[in-house]
Amino acid sequence: MSYDIDELEINPFYKALQSKYIDLYERAQEWCYSICVPQTESLDQRTINSDFVETHILRPSPYFKGQYMTTHSSSKKTVKMNDDGQVLITLQGFPEELSVKILSEELAYNKDYKQYKILILERPLNSKFQVTSAQREEKKTKELQTPKISVAECTAFLKSFSEFKTALEQLDKNIEYFCRHYMILPDYLDDARARLEDISAASLRKMSLCLRQPLASDIKFIEVLAGAIESYLMSLVYKKVFPVISQHLSKEDQTLLSKGQKLNRVKPEQIGVRREFSCPLPMAVVELANLGNLLTPREKLTCLKSTVDNITEGITQSIKGSRQEQLAGITTEEDEPCITSDDLIPILVMVIAQAKCCHLHSDLFYMEHFIWESMDKDRDDLSYCLVTFKAAVQYMMTTDFSHLEDKRKNDPQKEISIEDLMAATSVSESTSHTGRGSPRNNASAGRLERQLNRISGILEQNAQEMGAQRQQQNSKRQIQSIFTGRTTRLPPPEPLPTQRNSQNTGENNQLGDFLSALQDDDFDLAFGKQK
């Protein structure tokens, strides 16, 4: 397998530790136990249960040096490490003796700055948890036929085939030549697109000739390969192509941004959003706000789909919550409103306004004209999302919103902007020292993604707190930590002063309860680097 991608970022067992089995994970951190993580390709996700978890968390044996015991309370299972520290050998309590190779080792730190080890294993310690040959072959085929979305996925996919080495080197040379010698003009973007498509098609032909059967005749695999080549290519020419597009459409981008600023000060019902669909949609806003950080048309198109999915999910949850309150827990699916295209467009308009995308018009042009592989271009769900976003943008561009009354100008400020949240998470992250490896050495590439994930949780919790405030206006609420599902335990923050008591301190009045809670939170998440 390729180690260019952090195994712990994609490993289903490690993800399960941080979510479903967080109590066992936290106990292992507290006692500095060794955590064994079988590599992803050896795992059958259906076998990951509490028995699996306890089998792969090891504590030092009190009897023999170099031996370890699992954390099972009912049975004693023992393993030992060989002299060079490269192999774990199963002993007592296991159905058979296995020698499992340790592929890599990482050092991690708990909240008390004590070290514990994370061992990446070649396979599980118990053969009953390991995928069979048939399952492995089926899994491999499924992975090969699964479209690759992110740039990291596409790069790792192409480099995983040794027979593509020469073709990849030639592709890199063609990309470098294009970036150095080809001048992209705003009025000739179609010519740039055609040249890039020719480069991609030539690389696909060369790589296809290197394939052996049955992959050479697997149509689905060839489509995945074509999409990966396209994304790999576009990620490397993005800085040359997109600035010209944004320059060409700068007036449209600025107009759209100005319209969004105006719409941020009006209520959704004023532009046609049905009352039952008028609710906070923080997850959709944060998802769309990340659009400008993506490089390829395929990534951006997937972001649009995720935004629409988050809108649908958010509205569904809001409607269910309202009906449970009204009907004392009795809901009828027959009466649930259906979100049509006519409903979705004004909702999208409000989400676009709140996301404050600086180059949305340019992004839509980039998605429409610089993706040419039919696999994603013709998929109904992605095409529908692109067309719906274009309709929402067209509505914003052609509609005069100046007559709308600003009904929110006298309302108290209950929301925090994405910029403020980004700043808050950046400050908190710079002061955090808990997790895998040294905080200063963490890869910056995943920082924005982690910030956006935190922001999603913050905004969603804030929306829930706003609903609670409207129902209990006369009750005093003590704010607890805004984060759930932590990977380490921390003592709860000090109780915040109520509105009346905070009048004596100007700083608290300026920040408010929500930002004060942010200041008291450590944003402690475990992460680090490979040793």
Side-chain angles (χ1 to χ4, degrees):
M1 63 175 294
S2 173
Y3 290 99
D4 294 335
I5 300 177
D6 188 351
E7 169 66 23
L8 296 181
E9 294 293 331
I10 62 173
N11 190 278
F13 169 55
Y14 191 70
K15 289 181 178 180
L17 276 179
Q18 294 180 310
S19 54
K20 187 176 181 180
Y21 303 102
I22 184 66
D23 54 335
L24 297 176
Y25 183 42
E26 288 179 339
R27 186 178 66 179
Q29 287 180 318
E30 181 180 357
W31 290 96
C32 298
Y33 293 157
S34 296
I35 299 174
C36 300
V37 181
Q39 63 175 333
T40 301
E41 64 185 28
S42 69
L43 289 176
D44 181 1
Q45 296 189 35
R46 295 169 294 184
T47 64
I48 299 177
N49 52 29
S50 58
D51 182 26
F52 184 101
V53 175
E54 291 185 302
T55 300
H56 291 84
I57 297 179
L58 305 179
R59 53 191 174 93
S61 172
Y63 309 111
F64 301 101
K65 183 179 180 181
Q67 291 192 8
Y68 299 87
M69 303 175 65
T70 66
T71 55
H72 287 92
S73 57
S74 58
S75 62
K76 294 182 179 179
K77 295 182 179 181
T78 307
V79 301
K80 72 173 182 179
M81 186 177 293
N82 67 347
D83 295 336
D84 60 4
Q86 299 298 316
V87 176
L88 286 177
I89 303 172
T90 60
L91 299 175
Q92 177 184 351
F94 287 90
E96 58 184 333
E97 182 177 314
L98 292 177
S99 295
V100 181
K101 185 179 180 181
I102 301 174
L103 301 178
S104 64
E105 176 184 311
E106 296 192 16
L107 290 179
Y109 301 86
N110 63 14
K111 66 183 182 66
D112 296 323
Y113 298 94
K114 295 181 180 179
Q115 290 184 354
Y116 64 95
K117 293 182 180 180
I118 300 178
L119 306 176
I120 309 298
L121 303 184
E122 182 182 21
R123 56 178 175 170
L125 293 173
N126 193 330
S127 58
K128 74 176 184 178
F129 298 127
Q130 188 173 347
V131 295
T132 63
S133 299
Q135 289 175 328
R136 186 181 294 108
E137 190 65 27
E138 180 183 356
K139 182 179 180 181
K140 183 178 180 181
T141 302
K142 185 177 180 181
E143 289 178 350
L144 290 175
Q145 295 179 348
T146 301
K148 312 302 180 228
I149 304 300
S150 69
V151 175
E153 286 179 325
C154 295
T155 303
F157 176 73
L158 294 175
K159 291 184 177 181
S160 65
F161 295 87
S162 58
E163 56 266 38
F164 291 167
K165 182 178 180 181
T166 303
L168 268 178
E169 290 175 352
Q170 184 60 48
L171 175 59
D172 289 336
K173 290 180 182 179
N174 292 338
I175 294 173
E176 183 181 3
Y177 184 86
F178 177 87
C179 292
R180 284 191 176 185
H181 300 287
Y182 184 79
M183 179 178 292
I184 302 179
L185 300 176
D187 294 332
Y188 294 91
L189 287 169
D190 287 340
D191 183 70
R193 176 193 180 280
R195 288 177 181 264
L196 291 172
E197 186 176 359
D198 289 342
I199 294 174
S200 179
S203 297
L204 177 61
R205 287 193 296 270
K206 290 181 180 179
M207 293 183 186
S208 298
L209 292 174
C210 300
L211 290 173
R212 299 177 181 178
Q213 296 295 343
L215 289 181
S217 57
D218 189 335
I219 297 177
K220 290 185 178 179
F221 172 78
I222 297 298
E223 288 182 343
V224 171
L225 177 60
I229 294 172
E230 176 193 293
S231 292
Y232 179 81
L233 167 64
M234 294 308 302
S235 69
L236 295 176
V237 302
Y238 176 80
K239 291 183 178 179
K240 184 176 181 70
V241 173
F242 194 79
V244 179
I245 296 176
S246 59
Q247 176 188 355
H248 183 56
L249 299 173
S250 59
K251 292 183 179 179
E252 289 84 351
D253 285 335
Q254 186 58 43
T255 301
L256 192 63
L257 191 60
S258 300
K259 296 262 188 173
Q261 292 173 349
K262 170 64 179 176
L263 289 173
N264 259 332
R265 299 190 294 269
V266 302
K267 292 185 176 181
E269 294 89 341
Q270 292 179 264
I271 63 168
V273 178
R274 292 166 58 180
R275 183 174 297 276
E276 57 267 36
F277 296 158
S278 180
C279 62
L281 298 169
M283 300 294 287
V285 173
V286 171
E287 181 68 28
L288 185 58
N290 190 42
L291 183 66
N293 298 309
L294 305 175
L295 301 180
T296 69
R298 184 168 282 100
E299 283 182 312
K300 291 178 181 288
L301 196 56
T302 305
C303 179
L304 298 190
K305 181 182 182 301
S306 181
T307 300
V308 174
D309 291 341
N310 282 320
I311 288 175
T312 304
E313 182 179 354
I315 291 177
T316 301
Q317 294 299 324
S318 176
I319 292 175
K320 287 183 179 179
S322 300
R323 294 199 170 182
Q324 285 176 353
E325 293 174 3
Q326 296 173 2
L327 304 177
I330 302 176
T331 59
T332 56
E333 296 183 359
E334 302 168 343
D335 297 331
E336 288 187 2
C338 177
I339 303 176
T340 65
S341 298
D342 292 338
D343 295 321
L344 183 58
I345 289 177
I347 297 172
L348 271 180
V349 168
M350 296 306 300
V351 171
I352 291 171
Q354 295 173 34
K356 301 177 183 177
C357 298
C358 298
H359 303 289
L360 182 57
H361 214 288
S362 299
D363 280 323
L364 294 176
F365 180 91
Y366 180 59
M367 282 179 263
E368 184 177 8
H369 292 84
F370 284 85
I371 185 170
W372 45 80
E373 296 304 332
S374 61
M375 176 184 62
D376 282 342
K377 189 174 182 180
D378 295 338
R379 281 171 56 185
D380 292 339
D381 50 357
L382 295 180
S383 298
Y384 170 76
C385 292
L386 179 59
V387 170
T388 306
F389 264 88
K390 288 178 62 179
V393 168
Q394 183 66 19
Y395 173 72
M396 293 178 69
M397 296 291 290
T398 58
T399 304
D400 181 13
F401 300 108
S402 59
H403 66 284
L404 296 179
E405 180 183 357
D406 187 356
K407 294 185 178 181
R408 288 185 175 181
K409 61 183 178 181
N410 296 323
D411 291 346
Q413 185 70 22
K414 296 181 180 180
E415 298 180 354
I416 181 171
S417 68
I418 291 178
E419 290 82 357
D420 292 338
L421 282 169
M422 292 288 285
T425 55
S426 297
V427 172
S428 298
E429 184 173 358
S430 65
T431 59
S432 174
H433 300 283
T434 303
R436 291 197 290 127
S438 172
R440 296 184 179 180
N441 295 329
N442 289 328
S444 60
R447 181 177 181 181
L448 178 60
E449 182 179 356
R450 292 195 298 272
Q451 288 180 348
L452 289 170
N453 288 337
R454 296 191 194 102
I455 291 171
S456 299
I458 296 170
L459 290 174
E460 186 175 20
Q461 183 67 22
N462 190 33
Q464 294 173 358
E465 291 176 355
M466 288 167 56
Q469 285 179 341
R470 287 193 291 267
Q471 295 174 7
Q472 301 177 357
Q473 294 180 356
N474 298 325
S475 63
K476 295 182 179 179
R477 178 174 52 85
Q478 179 178 342
I479 298 179
Q480 301 295 332
S481 174
I482 57 177
F483 290 97
T484 59
R486 295 171 172 273
T487 58
T488 56
R489 292 188 184 275
L490 286 179
E494 292 294 328
L496 296 174
T498 60
Q499 184 72 17
R500 295 180 180 178
N501 294 336
S502 63
Q503 291 178 355
N504 297 327
T505 57
E507 182 179 358
N508 286 343
N509 277 336
Q510 291 295 327
L511 294 179
D513 289 348
F514 181 63
L515 281 181
S516 297
L518 283 179
Q519 287 189 331
D520 291 337
D521 204 293
D522 291 330
F523 290 81
D524 54 326
L525 290 176
F527 56 92
K529 67 176 184 178
Q530 201 171 42
K531 185 175 178 182

